[in-house]
Amino acid sequence: MNSRLTNTRTSNRSQLLKEAVIASFCESPEELAARLQEFSTYDWERAQFWLDASGLALYFLDRLTVLKLQHLIPKSLLARLQQNLHNNRERTAALFEEAAAISRALQQRCIPCAVLKGATLTPDSVPDSTLRSQWDLDFLIDGKNVSGALQVLQDFEYELDAVSGTTWEFRAGVSGTPDIANIYKVRPYRALELHLLPAPIHDNGGEPRNQLTRAQMRMIRGAMLSSLSPADIFLQQALHLFKHIGGEYTRVSWVLEYWRHVLARRDDNTFWREVKSLADSEPQAHIAIGAVTLLATHLFGEFAPRELTRWSMDRLSPDVRLWIETYGRRAVLAEFPGSKLYLLLRQQLSAQRRHGRTPLRRFIFPAHLPPRITHGKTGKAWLPRLMQYRTQASFVFLRLRFHLVEGLRYAVESSRWQRRLKGMTP
């Protein structure tokens, strides 16, 4: 009984600390100082993994530095965060250098491309790119140029690892064993995703219009890179975040970056009209933007302009709104590897589609083995190969435990969810 009570108290303190970290980005220094003084060194030690996995660690360090509140966290944690920032600066520089080199190589072959996601989120979403935890590179190309792009990536020693729809995943470098303690360091193992454009859309029989034709050249960290238009960047950011909300784990940093992006463009009505125009032609874009805006509101308070909310958040269906209000915060603040609460949201979204419900049984307890998490070449040396097998086996057992535990929790919560839905019925 005492052990159960202790675990409950520890869990509550962990939740309070997460809430304090979230509040650090929108509360005054006085309010934040009062919150942070409540936590012990033990509380912070337990939160280190979550800070890293959530992507908030370096953003939090930067915020404390700006507010001059670094003294309110343990010296050991402060030193660790500062070392991670130093490492991440080197890692970010290496990523951008590779992105610029690949971009130049594609352009030399007359292959139009655009760098996607993290590399292009500065400054609206990410004030300083060295604060962002980025693990791979993303490029957008036209599908007709894929053969040429493959040759370019081969020159950079990338090998095709997997294909999922219009996304091609590539790996390069020596074998890598996942270790969150090293996520900020330059690693010999590299990853890249190639995103292929769907069939072009034509305006009245004229030139095709798509994300690449709207792409713009930008100076990013001293290099000229092709990136999406500002409105396309925002739309793809919202769609990416919404995709992860509909999955097991969502990094809180993605919500923070979306929140900052909206604030940066808050009074730019022309921008919001451009976003709406793009969203009108993108399936589920209105739902995605509305859902992530409502989720960010629950985390950081009211922030979105009326020009955005009137056609997105205000038009959310009652069941989707109910899920975000009931489970959104809980799902986003869950410990890695997340939860299965997203399945309740998927059920509602599936029911709204014309093609009916999507079977969810395979998500509750998949019948297939989890994906490979160790990549790269090990040669014939037996020790590296043994370490790969050991790491993969540990991952399989971790995923098995996740499906068992979270599957049971989902079963319990599903009945409660159904009662909540019935309570909405007039």
Side-chain angles (χ1 to χ4, degrees):
M1 183 67 177
N2 290 337
S3 176
R4 184 181 301 175
L5 183 61
T6 300
N7 290 337
T8 300
R9 288 175 177 172
T10 301
S11 177
N12 289 339
R13 290 191 64 79
S14 176
Q15 185 68 18
L16 288 173
L17 191 147
K18 292 177 183 179
E19 297 284 355
V21 171
I22 296 295
S24 71
F25 299 101
C26 51
E27 284 190 349
S28 68
E30 295 76 19
E31 292 172 319
L32 179 59
R35 280 180 181 256
L36 297 183
Q37 288 170 354
E38 300 179 3
F39 302 106
S40 66
T41 299
Y42 175 73
D43 293 327
W44 286 107
E45 288 175 348
R46 294 189 70 256
Q48 286 185 18
F49 182 89
W50 177 79
L51 280 171
D52 291 331
S54 68
L56 291 179
L58 300 185
Y59 286 141
F60 181 57
L61 171 64
D62 181 68
R63 181 63 174 166
L64 291 182
T65 303
V66 170
L67 299 180
K68 301 186 184 331
L69 296 177
Q70 308 99 303
H71 62 284
L72 294 179
I73 63 175
K75 291 182 179 179
S76 58
L77 174 61
L78 179 60
R80 179 178 180 272
L81 291 175
Q82 290 172 336
Q83 181 60 52
N84 287 342
L85 176 58
H86 173 75
N87 293 339
N88 205 55
R89 284 172 177 156
E90 295 180 348
R91 176 169 169 75
T92 302
L95 279 170
F96 274 87
E97 183 179 347
E98 176 123 316
I102 293 175
S103 181
R104 286 194 299 269
L106 289 171
Q107 291 170 4
Q108 288 171 359
R109 287 180 175 264
C110 299
I111 299 176
C113 68
V115 182
L116 300 178
K117 300 181 183 179
T120 62
L121 293 179
T122 303
D124 289 340
S125 293
V126 182
D128 180 354
S129 58
T130 63
L131 302 175
R132 191 174 197 271
S133 178
Q134 183 173 337
W135 297 347
D136 58 10
L137 296 174
D138 294 83
F139 282 86
L140 177 70
I141 66 166
D142 194 310
K144 67 183 181 182
N145 294 320
V146 67
S147 60
L150 287 174
Q151 294 177 11
V152 169
L153 294 181
Q154 286 175 2
D155 292 340
F156 285 85
E157 301 181 345
Y158 280 97
E159 296 181 356
L160 183 62
D161 184 68
V163 176
S164 177
T166 58
T167 301
W168 294 37
E169 300 177 15
F170 296 83
R171 313 289 177 184
V174 299
S175 177
T177 299
D179 182 1
I180 199 166
N182 295 320
I183 62 173
Y184 304 104
K185 297 180 180 179
V186 177
R187 293 174 292 177
Y189 163 69
R190 295 169 292 148
L192 180 146
E193 289 187 359
L194 205 59
H195 302 265
L196 310 185
L197 272 177
I201 300 174
H202 294 261
D203 281 327
N204 300 322
E207 292 295 320
R209 59 181 180 87
N210 54 43
Q211 294 170 15
L212 280 180
T213 59
R214 295 190 296 266
Q216 304 174 358
M217 297 300 296
R218 289 175 52 196
M219 180 67 73
I220 304 177
R221 290 183 62 89
M224 289 299 295
L225 295 176
S226 175
S227 70
L228 301 182
S229 71
D232 276 313
I233 289 175
F234 179 85
L235 178 58
Q236 293 307 311
Q237 183 182 25
L239 291 170
H240 174 261
L241 177 53
F242 185 63
K243 172 186 173 183
H244 282 278
I245 293 173
E248 295 171 358
Y249 189 72
T250 303
R251 302 183 80 188
V252 190
S253 60
W254 293 331
V255 188
L256 173 68
E257 290 162 0
Y258 177 84
W259 173 71
R260 283 175 163 169
H261 200 159
V262 174
L263 289 178
R265 295 281 186 171
R266 182 181 176 88
D267 299 322
D268 190 346
N269 289 337
T270 300
F271 173 78
W272 295 122
R273 285 193 288 271
E274 291 176 1
V275 170
K276 183 180 184 304
S277 177
L278 294 177
D280 287 341
S281 60
E282 184 81 29
Q284 284 202 308
H286 293 80
I287 297 176
I289 294 175
V292 299
T293 302
L294 181 59
L295 176 61
T297 300
H298 279 278
L299 286 179
F300 301 107
E302 297 288 342
F303 73 103
R306 186 62 184 160
E307 187 69 28
L308 171 65
T309 60
R310 65 179 178 80
W311 56 264
S312 60
M313 194 170 74
D314 291 352
R315 290 171 55 185
L316 287 175
S317 62
D319 51 355
V320 171
R321 179 178 288 273
L322 178 65
W323 186 92
I324 294 172
E325 293 172 346
T326 306
Y327 299 115
R329 194 182 195 95
R330 177 176 162 187
V332 169
L333 295 184
E335 293 287 345
F336 184 83
S339 74
K340 291 187 180 288
L341 293 174
Y342 75 95
L343 293 175
L344 302 175
L345 175 62
R346 281 202 176 195
Q347 287 176 345
Q348 305 311 127
L349 293 173
S350 178
Q352 295 176 17
R353 299 192 188 106
R354 294 180 180 178
H355 301 295
R357 296 180 179 271
T358 301
L360 299 178
R361 185 178 304 172
R362 61 189 179 94
F363 295 104
I364 298 174
F365 198 92
H368 56 79
L369 290 173
R372 200 161 44 96
I373 62 168
T374 56
H375 304 277
K377 298 177 180 179
T378 59
K380 296 182 179 180
W382 66 269
L383 185 57
R385 294 177 65 185
L386 180 62
M387 292 300 295
Q388 272 198 355
Y389 296 148
R390 180 180 178 182
T391 300
Q392 186 65 33
S394 298
F395 179 64
V396 170
F397 284 113
L398 177 67
R399 294 298 298 171
L400 177 62
R401 181 181 182 277
F402 168 77
H403 290 305
L404 288 173
V405 173
E406 292 302 322
L408 290 173
R409 288 178 179 168
Y410 164 77
V412 172
E413 202 60 49
S414 181
S415 61
R416 296 174 181 171
W417 172 244
Q418 294 303 320
R419 290 196 295 270
R420 289 188 176 99
L421 288 176
K422 290 180 180 178
M424 286 174 33
T425 305

